[in-house]
Amino acid sequence: MDGQAYFGGETTTDRANRARPALQLYTDAHPETELSDLIADLLHLADVDEYPDGGEAVALAAMSAYQGEQPTWPTGHSEFAGAYLAQARAGDKGWLTLAGDDDPRAAAEYMRRAMQIVGFRTSEMAGHVDDLVAGHVLTSDDGHVFRVVKREN
């Protein structure tokens, strides 16, 4: 299935063009800023306006949606360094690589906050990190899945 069929006719360029006016307004008002500043400010807005679970949850949802669109949109891919990859996915969406490291524990530790956001208990987090390092796949009650995998060469 191509991107147009999956997204009702919108392509990567169409989606980018939807956001372009907002970026232009932002950079006109704040000339010394970059796209990442707008994104960070929107996450702060989610915190201040009390979106469910705040800015970090919005960022995770946005990255999940963006990553889910990637298989149908031919765009560049960010590559993480390291022998082990920390990955997450929401439901049946594709795996999103969150970090890479040569130490599987460091890769697993990177996902602590994301796991807390989707309901893993902070008091049990050390055990969850141990499970990820041991190669287990962890699933939250609402279907978010986390794993640490050895990079395939």
mmCIF file with all atom_site columns, all heavy atoms in Angstrom, residues 14-31:
data_model
loop_
_atom_site.group_PDB
_atom_site.id
_atom_site.type_symbol
_atom_site.label_atom_id
_atom_site.label_alt_id
_atom_site.label_comp_id
_atom_site.label_asym_id
_atom_site.label_entity_id
_atom_site.label_seq_id
_atom_site.pdbx_PDB_ins_code
_atom_site.Cartn_x
_atom_site.Cartn_y
_atom_site.Cartn_z
_atom_site.occupancy
_atom_site.B_iso_or_equiv
_atom_site.pdbx_formal_charge
_atom_site.auth_seq_id
_atom_site.auth_comp_id
_atom_site.auth_asym_id
_atom_site.auth_atom_id
_atom_site.pdbx_PDB_model_num
ATOM 1   N N   . ASP A 1 14 ? 2.725  16.790 1.263  1.00 0.00 ? 14 ASP A N   1
ATOM 2   C CA  . ASP A 1 14 ? 1.440  17.357 1.674  1.00 0.00 ? 14 ASP A CA  1
ATOM 3   C C   . ASP A 1 14 ? 1.405  17.577 3.178  1.00 0.00 ? 14 ASP A C   1
ATOM 4   O O   . ASP A 1 14 ? 0.970  18.629 3.664  1.00 0.00 ? 14 ASP A O   1
ATOM 5   C CB  . ASP A 1 14 ? 0.276  16.433 1.294  1.00 0.00 ? 14 ASP A CB  1
ATOM 6   C CG  . ASP A 1 14 ? 0.102  16.278 -0.204 1.00 0.00 ? 14 ASP A CG  1
ATOM 7   O OD1 . ASP A 1 14 ? 0.453  17.215 -0.946 1.00 0.00 ? 14 ASP A OD1 1
ATOM 8   O OD2 . ASP A 1 14 ? -0.378 15.207 -0.617 1.00 0.00 ? 14 ASP A OD2 1
ATOM 9   N N   . ARG A 1 15 ? 1.848  16.582 3.937  1.00 0.00 ? 15 ARG A N   1
ATOM 10  C CA  . ARG A 1 15 ? 1.826  16.697 5.391  1.00 0.00 ? 15 ARG A CA  1
ATOM 11  C C   . ARG A 1 15 ? 2.776  17.798 5.857  1.00 0.00 ? 15 ARG A C   1
ATOM 12  O O   . ARG A 1 15 ? 2.462  18.560 6.765  1.00 0.00 ? 15 ARG A O   1
ATOM 13  C CB  . ARG A 1 15 ? 2.205  15.355 6.044  1.00 0.00 ? 15 ARG A CB  1
ATOM 14  C CG  . ARG A 1 15 ? 1.244  14.214 5.756  1.00 0.00 ? 15 ARG A CG  1
ATOM 15  C CD  . ARG A 1 15 ? -0.047 14.316 6.550  1.00 0.00 ? 15 ARG A CD  1
ATOM 16  N NE  . ARG A 1 15 ? 0.150  14.229 7.961  1.00 0.00 ? 15 ARG A NE  1
ATOM 17  C CZ  . ARG A 1 15 ? -0.152 13.180 8.712  1.00 0.00 ? 15 ARG A CZ  1
ATOM 18  N NH1 . ARG A 1 15 ? -0.687 12.110 8.169  1.00 0.00 ? 15 ARG A NH1 1
ATOM 19  N NH2 . ARG A 1 15 ? 0.066  13.200 10.005 1.00 0.00 ? 15 ARG A NH2 1
ATOM 20  N N   . ALA A 1 16 ? 3.939  17.893 5.253  1.00 0.00 ? 16 ALA A N   1
ATOM 21  C CA  . ALA A 1 16 ? 4.891  18.956 5.607  1.00 0.00 ? 16 ALA A CA  1
ATOM 22  C C   . ALA A 1 16 ? 4.300  20.323 5.285  1.00 0.00 ? 16 ALA A C   1
ATOM 23  O O   . ALA A 1 16 ? 4.437  21.272 6.071  1.00 0.00 ? 16 ALA A O   1
ATOM 24  C CB  . ALA A 1 16 ? 6.206  18.753 4.867  1.00 0.00 ? 16 ALA A CB  1
ATOM 25  N N   . ASN A 1 17 ? 3.629  20.430 4.162  1.00 0.00 ? 17 ASN A N   1
ATOM 26  C CA  . ASN A 1 17 ? 3.036  21.710 3.771  1.00 0.00 ? 17 ASN A CA  1
ATOM 27  C C   . ASN A 1 17 ? 1.904  22.129 4.708  1.00 0.00 ? 17 ASN A C   1
ATOM 28  O O   . ASN A 1 17 ? 1.646  23.324 4.866  1.00 0.00 ? 17 ASN A O   1
ATOM 29  C CB  . ASN A 1 17 ? 2.567  21.661 2.323  1.00 0.00 ? 17 ASN A CB  1
ATOM 30  C CG  . ASN A 1 17 ? 3.720  21.716 1.348  1.00 0.00 ? 17 ASN A CG  1
ATOM 31  O OD1 . ASN A 1 17 ? 4.808  22.182 1.680  1.00 0.00 ? 17 ASN A OD1 1
ATOM 32  N ND2 . ASN A 1 17 ? 3.506  21.201 0.149  1.00 0.00 ? 17 ASN A ND2 1
ATOM 33  N N   . ARG A 1 18 ? 1.236  21.174 5.333  1.00 0.00 ? 18 ARG A N   1
ATOM 34  C CA  . ARG A 1 18 ? 0.219  21.521 6.336  1.00 0.00 ? 18 ARG A CA  1
ATOM 35  C C   . ARG A 1 18 ? 0.852  22.232 7.525  1.00 0.00 ? 18 ARG A C   1
ATOM 36  O O   . ARG A 1 18 ? 0.259  23.121 8.119  1.00 0.00 ? 18 ARG A O   1
ATOM 37  C CB  . ARG A 1 18 ? -0.470 20.239 6.856  1.00 0.00 ? 18 ARG A CB  1
ATOM 38  C CG  . ARG A 1 18 ? -1.614 19.800 6.070  1.00 0.00 ? 18 ARG A CG  1
ATOM 39  C CD  . ARG A 1 18 ? -2.380 18.645 6.652  1.00 0.00 ? 18 ARG A CD  1
ATOM 40  N NE  . ARG A 1 18 ? -1.952 18.085 7.908  1.00 0.00 ? 18 ARG A NE  1
ATOM 41  C CZ  . ARG A 1 18 ? -2.476 16.988 8.429  1.00 0.00 ? 18 ARG A CZ  1
ATOM 42  N NH1 . ARG A 1 18 ? -3.429 16.343 7.802  1.00 0.00 ? 18 ARG A NH1 1
ATOM 43  N NH2 . ARG A 1 18 ? -2.052 16.519 9.579  1.00 0.00 ? 18 ARG A NH2 1
ATOM 44  N N   . ALA A 1 19 ? 2.059  21.831 7.892  1.00 0.00 ? 19 ALA A N   1
ATOM 45  C CA  . ALA A 1 19 ? 2.734  22.406 9.057  1.00 0.00 ? 19 ALA A CA  1
ATOM 46  C C   . ALA A 1 19 ? 3.500  23.687 8.741  1.00 0.00 ? 19 ALA A C   1
ATOM 47  O O   . ALA A 1 19 ? 3.785  24.480 9.640  1.00 0.00 ? 19 ALA A O   1
ATOM 48  C CB  . ALA A 1 19 ? 3.698  21.374 9.649  1.00 0.00 ? 19 ALA A CB  1
ATOM 49  N N   . ARG A 1 20 ? 3.819  23.885 7.486  1.00 0.00 ? 20 ARG A N   1
ATOM 50  C CA  . ARG A 1 20 ? 4.657  25.022 7.097  1.00 0.00 ? 20 ARG A CA  1
ATOM 51  C C   . ARG A 1 20 ? 4.121  26.381 7.562  1.00 0.00 ? 20 ARG A C   1
ATOM 52  O O   . ARG A 1 20 ? 4.880  27.219 8.059  1.00 0.00 ? 20 ARG A O   1
ATOM 53  C CB  . ARG A 1 20 ? 4.879  25.004 5.589  1.00 0.00 ? 20 ARG A CB  1
ATOM 54  C CG  . ARG A 1 20 ? 6.083  25.790 5.143  1.00 0.00 ? 20 ARG A CG  1
ATOM 55  C CD  . ARG A 1 20 ? 6.405  25.576 3.672  1.00 0.00 ? 20 ARG A CD  1
ATOM 56  N NE  . ARG A 1 20 ? 6.498  24.190 3.247  1.00 0.00 ? 20 ARG A NE  1
ATOM 57  C CZ  . ARG A 1 20 ? 7.529  23.375 3.496  1.00 0.00 ? 20 ARG A CZ  1
ATOM 58  N NH1 . ARG A 1 20 ? 8.557  23.823 4.174  1.00 0.00 ? 20 ARG A NH1 1
ATOM 59  N NH2 . ARG A 1 20 ? 7.532  22.137 3.052  1.00 0.00 ? 20 ARG A NH2 1
ATOM 60  N N   . PRO A 1 21 ? 2.806  26.683 7.460  1.00 0.00 ? 21 PRO A N   1
ATOM 61  C CA  . PRO A 1 21 ? 2.312  27.989 7.932  1.00 0.00 ? 21 PRO A CA  1
ATOM 62  C C   . PRO A 1 21 ? 2.533  28.206 9.439  1.00 0.00 ? 21 PRO A C   1
ATOM 63  O O   . PRO A 1 21 ? 2.864  29.310 9.860  1.00 0.00 ? 21 PRO A O   1
ATOM 64  C CB  . PRO A 1 21 ? 0.818  27.957 7.594  1.00 0.00 ? 21 PRO A CB  1
ATOM 65  C CG  . PRO A 1 21 ? 0.688  26.974 6.485  1.00 0.00 ? 21 PRO A CG  1
ATOM 66  C CD  . PRO A 1 21 ? 1.740  25.940 6.743  1.00 0.00 ? 21 PRO A CD  1
ATOM 67  N N   . ALA A 1 22 ? 2.360  27.158 10.218 1.00 0.00 ? 22 ALA A N   1
ATOM 68  C CA  . ALA A 1 22 ? 2.591  27.287 11.662 1.00 0.00 ? 22 ALA A CA  1
ATOM 69  C C   . ALA A 1 22 ? 4.056  27.594 11.944 1.00 0.00 ? 22 ALA A C   1
ATOM 70  O O   . ALA A 1 22 ? 4.379  28.448 12.780 1.00 0.00 ? 22 ALA A O   1
ATOM 71  C CB  . ALA A 1 22 ? 2.167  26.010 12.389 1.00 0.00 ? 22 ALA A CB  1
ATOM 72  N N   . LEU A 1 23 ? 4.951  26.910 11.252 1.00 0.00 ? 23 LEU A N   1
ATOM 73  C CA  . LEU A 1 23 ? 6.380  27.175 11.432 1.00 0.00 ? 23 LEU A CA  1
ATOM 74  C C   . LEU A 1 23 ? 6.718  28.595 11.004 1.00 0.00 ? 23 LEU A C   1
ATOM 75  O O   . LEU A 1 23 ? 7.487  29.281 11.685 1.00 0.00 ? 23 LEU A O   1
ATOM 76  C CB  . LEU A 1 23 ? 7.213  26.162 10.648 1.00 0.00 ? 23 LEU A CB  1
ATOM 77  C CG  . LEU A 1 23 ? 8.725  26.374 10.716 1.00 0.00 ? 23 LEU A CG  1
ATOM 78  C CD1 . LEU A 1 23 ? 9.222  26.274 12.160 1.00 0.00 ? 23 LEU A CD1 1
ATOM 79  C CD2 . LEU A 1 23 ? 9.436  25.363 9.823  1.00 0.00 ? 23 LEU A CD2 1
ATOM 80  N N   . GLN A 1 24 ? 6.134  29.052 9.923  1.00 0.00 ? 24 GLN A N   1
ATOM 81  C CA  . GLN A 1 24 ? 6.410  30.414 9.447  1.00 0.00 ? 24 GLN A CA  1
ATOM 82  C C   . GLN A 1 24 ? 5.952  31.457 10.472 1.00 0.00 ? 24 GLN A C   1
ATOM 83  O O   . GLN A 1 24 ? 6.679  32.409 10.769 1.00 0.00 ? 24 GLN A O   1
ATOM 84  C CB  . GLN A 1 24 ? 5.736  30.672 8.098  1.00 0.00 ? 24 GLN A CB  1
ATOM 85  C CG  . GLN A 1 24 ? 6.139  31.992 7.479  1.00 0.00 ? 24 GLN A CG  1
ATOM 86  C CD  . GLN A 1 24 ? 7.629  32.052 7.167  1.00 0.00 ? 24 GLN A CD  1
ATOM 87  O OE1 . GLN A 1 24 ? 8.156  31.174 6.511  1.00 0.00 ? 24 GLN A OE1 1
ATOM 88  N NE2 . GLN A 1 24 ? 8.300  33.085 7.655  1.00 0.00 ? 24 GLN A NE2 1
ATOM 89  N N   . LEU A 1 25 ? 4.741  31.285 11.015 1.00 0.00 ? 25 LEU A N   1
ATOM 90  C CA  . LEU A 1 25 ? 4.259  32.206 12.049 1.00 0.00 ? 25 LEU A CA  1
ATOM 91  C C   . LEU A 1 25 ? 5.202  32.205 13.255 1.00 0.00 ? 25 LEU A C   1
ATOM 92  O O   . LEU A 1 25 ? 5.521  33.259 13.810 1.00 0.00 ? 25 LEU A O   1
ATOM 93  C CB  . LEU A 1 25 ? 2.852  31.812 12.505 1.00 0.00 ? 25 LEU A CB  1
ATOM 94  C CG  . LEU A 1 25 ? 1.719  32.132 11.547 1.00 0.00 ? 25 LEU A CG  1
ATOM 95  C CD1 . LEU A 1 25 ? 0.428  31.478 12.037 1.00 0.00 ? 25 LEU A CD1 1
ATOM 96  C CD2 . LEU A 1 25 ? 1.529  33.636 11.435 1.00 0.00 ? 25 LEU A CD2 1
ATOM 97  N N   . TYR A 1 26 ? 5.640  31.045 13.652 1.00 0.00 ? 26 TYR A N   1
ATOM 98  C CA  . TYR A 1 26 ? 6.520  30.911 14.818 1.00 0.00 ? 26 TYR A CA  1
ATOM 99  C C   . TYR A 1 26 ? 7.870  31.585 14.575 1.00 0.00 ? 26 TYR A C   1
ATOM 100 O O   . TYR A 1 26 ? 8.354  32.349 15.415 1.00 0.00 ? 26 TYR A O   1
ATOM 101 C CB  . TYR A 1 26 ? 6.700  29.433 15.152 1.00 0.00 ? 26 TYR A CB  1
ATOM 102 C CG  . TYR A 1 26 ? 7.462  29.185 16.424 1.00 0.00 ? 26 TYR A CG  1
ATOM 103 C CD1 . TYR A 1 26 ? 6.829  29.253 17.667 1.00 0.00 ? 26 TYR A CD1 1
ATOM 104 C CD2 . TYR A 1 26 ? 8.815  28.874 16.400 1.00 0.00 ? 26 TYR A CD2 1
ATOM 105 C CE1 . TYR A 1 26 ? 7.525  29.018 18.836 1.00 0.00 ? 26 TYR A CE1 1
ATOM 106 C CE2 . TYR A 1 26 ? 9.515  28.638 17.565 1.00 0.00 ? 26 TYR A CE2 1
ATOM 107 C CZ  . TYR A 1 26 ? 8.865  28.710 18.780 1.00 0.00 ? 26 TYR A CZ  1
ATOM 108 O OH  . TYR A 1 26 ? 9.551  28.474 19.944 1.00 0.00 ? 26 TYR A OH  1
ATOM 109 N N   . THR A 1 27 ? 8.479  31.300 13.423 1.00 0.00 ? 27 THR A N   1
ATOM 110 C CA  . THR A 1 27 ? 9.798  31.893 13.149 1.00 0.00 ? 27 THR A CA  1
ATOM 111 C C   . THR A 1 27 ? 9.708  33.394 12.881 1.00 0.00 ? 27 THR A C   1
ATOM 112 O O   . THR A 1 27 ? 10.661 34.121 13.158 1.00 0.00 ? 27 THR A O   1
ATOM 113 C CB  . THR A 1 27 ? 10.515 31.181 11.981 1.00 0.00 ? 27 THR A CB  1
ATOM 114 O OG1 . THR A 1 27 ? 9.686  31.194 10.833 1.00 0.00 ? 27 THR A OG1 1
ATOM 115 C CG2 . THR A 1 27 ? 10.865 29.750 12.366 1.00 0.00 ? 27 THR A CG2 1
ATOM 116 N N   . ASP A 1 28 ? 8.561  33.873 12.365 1.00 0.00 ? 28 ASP A N   1
ATOM 117 C CA  . ASP A 1 28 ? 8.375  35.325 12.217 1.00 0.00 ? 28 ASP A CA  1
ATOM 118 C C   . ASP A 1 28 ? 8.341  35.998 13.585 1.00 0.00 ? 28 ASP A C   1
ATOM 119 O O   . ASP A 1 28 ? 8.906  37.075 13.776 1.00 0.00 ? 28 ASP A O   1
ATOM 120 C CB  . ASP A 1 28 ? 7.085  35.639 11.461 1.00 0.00 ? 28 ASP A CB  1
ATOM 121 C CG  . ASP A 1 28 ? 7.183  35.343 9.974  1.00 0.00 ? 28 ASP A CG  1
ATOM 122 O OD1 . ASP A 1 28 ? 8.305  35.090 9.471  1.00 0.00 ? 28 ASP A OD1 1
ATOM 123 O OD2 . ASP A 1 28 ? 6.116  35.339 9.317  1.00 0.00 ? 28 ASP A OD2 1
ATOM 124 N N   . ALA A 1 29 ? 7.689  35.356 14.545 1.00 0.00 ? 29 ALA A N   1
ATOM 125 C CA  . ALA A 1 29 ? 7.577  35.916 15.894 1.00 0.00 ? 29 ALA A CA  1
ATOM 126 C C   . ALA A 1 29 ? 8.859  35.733 16.702 1.00 0.00 ? 29 ALA A C   1
ATOM 127 O O   . ALA A 1 29 ? 9.153  36.528 17.594 1.00 0.00 ? 29 ALA A O   1
ATOM 128 C CB  . ALA A 1 29 ? 6.403  35.270 16.626 1.00 0.00 ? 29 ALA A CB  1
ATOM 129 N N   . HIS A 1 30 ? 9.618  34.692 16.390 1.00 0.00 ? 30 HIS A N   1
ATOM 130 C CA  . HIS A 1 30 ? 10.841 34.360 17.144 1.00 0.00 ? 30 HIS A CA  1
ATOM 131 C C   . HIS A 1 30 ? 11.942 34.016 16.135 1.00 0.00 ? 30 HIS A C   1
ATOM 132 O O   . HIS A 1 30 ? 12.252 32.839 15.924 1.00 0.00 ? 30 HIS A O   1
ATOM 133 C CB  . HIS A 1 30 ? 10.582 33.175 18.081 1.00 0.00 ? 30 HIS A CB  1
ATOM 134 C CG  . HIS A 1 30 ? 9.377  33.356 18.942 1.00 0.00 ? 30 HIS A CG  1
ATOM 135 N ND1 . HIS A 1 30 ? 9.362  34.176 20.051 1.00 0.00 ? 30 HIS A ND1 1
ATOM 136 C CD2 . HIS A 1 30 ? 8.131  32.838 18.850 1.00 0.00 ? 30 HIS A CD2 1
ATOM 137 C CE1 . HIS A 1 30 ? 8.167  34.148 20.600 1.00 0.00 ? 30 HIS A CE1 1
ATOM 138 N NE2 . HIS A 1 30 ? 7.391  33.346 19.890 1.00 0.00 ? 30 HIS A NE2 1
ATOM 139 N N   . PRO A 1 31 ? 12.566 35.015 15.525 1.00 0.00 ? 31 PRO A N   1
ATOM 140 C CA  . PRO A 1 31 ? 13.502 34.790 14.417 1.00 0.00 ? 31 PRO A CA  1
ATOM 141 C C   . PRO A 1 31 ? 14.722 33.923 14.740 1.00 0.00 ? 31 PRO A C   1
ATOM 142 O O   . PRO A 1 31 ? 15.269 33.306 13.857 1.00 0.00 ? 31 PRO A O   1
ATOM 143 C CB  . PRO A 1 31 ? 13.949 36.197 14.017 1.00 0.00 ? 31 PRO A CB  1
ATOM 144 C CG  . PRO A 1 31 ? 12.965 37.128 14.616 1.00 0.00 ? 31 PRO A CG  1
ATOM 145 C CD  . PRO A 1 31 ? 12.373 36.431 15.793 1.00 0.00 ? 31 PRO A CD  1
#
